Amino acid sequence: MAGRQRAPAAASSYLPPVMTAVLFLWVFSCGHVEASFDFANVTALQKHVDFFDRNKDGIITTSELFEGYVAIGCDAVFARKQAASVSAGVGPKTSPDDAPLPHLSIYVEYIHKAMHGSDTGAYDAEGRFVPPKFEEIFTKHAKVRPDALTSEEIEEMILANRDPLDPQSWSAPEGEWGLIYKLASDKQGFLHKDSARGIYDGSVFYKLEEQRTSSARSDM
């Protein structure tokens, strides 16, 4: 396939932090929130957002979102806008009742409460990874290559997964897949299966940051 394909049309739309983390219990003492970690019970969705929890305290602030978006290769203007949008949309859904107002920080323990419809089904209701649903992405939509997706195939998948009774959920997959395609597809315009898998456990974000860091060093 000659040349790089265009990214899915809605690459700059709302992107929920669908990002990586660890399951933790909140301990409130002396007015501060601390996190104790239970690594045995980490879900894939929590891993998905952990990258954006830059100080690993179990709480993702707006500034950490901004830092994370820049780290994976987004420009500062987009990163600032996206961080504000995600905080406002996801923070209130994941904040416990006794969390400090205005509930803009994202609490990783409760990230499953911010899950949206019109998705692939590769997460269950608790945020656990569902391998058969992930494989369906490629068996149903990867037509040019069995192990990769083109931008057109991603758009086809997004449309196929839309819930007609939940139009408010339509923009989220467009933003998520559009951004990942823009950042992680290869020069021929393919988003490879291992990169797509890395979306669900967050590993793709660490790889993107490493690539950006290595590129910056080589330019020095």
Side-chain angles (χ1 to χ4, degrees):
M1 184 172 293
R4 186 179 180 81
Q5 300 176 22
R6 61 184 178 84
S12 61
S13 61
Y14 170 67
L15 175 65
V18 170
M19 312 151 210
T20 339
V22 291
L23 182 64
F24 49 84
L25 301 174
W26 303 114
V27 181
F28 292 87
S29 61
C30 302
H32 298 285
V33 181
E34 299 175 353
S36 61
F37 300 102
D38 181 4
F39 290 97
N41 293 308
V42 180
T43 67
L45 184 59
Q46 289 168 335
K47 291 179 180 180
H48 174 71
V49 299
D50 180 65
F51 173 82
F52 294 85
D53 182 12
R54 306 298 281 180
N55 64 3
K56 305 305 178 191
D57 67 349
I59 304 171
I60 305 171
T61 64
T62 304
S63 61
E64 286 179 305
L65 283 172
F66 170 78
E67 183 181 342
Y69 284 123
V70 171
I72 62 176
C74 299
D75 65 75
V77 173
F78 174 84
R80 189 172 294 109
K81 178 181 178 182
Q82 198 64 26
S85 177
V86 169
S87 292
V90 178
K93 296 178 181 178
T94 65
S95 294
D97 293 338
D98 49 3
L101 293 173
H103 291 174
L104 293 178
S105 293
I106 298 166
Y107 286 69
V108 181
E109 181 179 9
Y110 305 113
I111 190 62
H112 62 283
K113 294 183 178 181
M115 292 177 65
H116 57 77
S118 300
D119 61 8
T120 62
Y123 292 126
D124 69 11
E126 298 300 318
R128 296 180 291 256
F129 184 62
V130 183
K133 287 294 185 180
F134 175 75
E135 293 298 328
E136 279 185 10
I137 295 173
F138 292 85
T139 57
K140 289 184 176 180
H141 304 290
K143 298 180 175 65
V144 178
R145 287 181 51 169
D147 61 346
L149 296 168
T150 66
S151 61
E152 289 81 6
E153 289 167 348
I154 291 173
E155 290 179 352
E156 175 190 278
M157 174 190 69
I158 292 169
L159 290 173
N161 289 332
R162 279 185 175 175
D163 181 351
L165 301 179
D166 186 18
Q168 291 186 340
S169 69
W170 293 358
S171 65
E174 292 174 350
E176 293 164 356
W177 284 96
L179 182 62
I180 290 299
Y181 178 85
K182 179 180 179 181
L183 297 175
S185 59
D186 66 17
K187 293 181 180 179
Q188 286 72 45
F190 289 103
L191 179 66
H192 291 266
K193 189 174 185 178
D194 58 345
S195 295
R197 176 65 179 87
I199 298 171
Y200 289 94
D201 64 9
S203 59
V204 70
F205 300 129
Y206 292 94
K207 291 179 181 179
L208 289 171
E209 181 178 30
E210 182 179 353
Q211 292 171 6
R212 180 175 174 272
T213 302
S214 299
S215 177
R217 287 182 186 144
S218 65
D219 292 338
M220 298 177 73

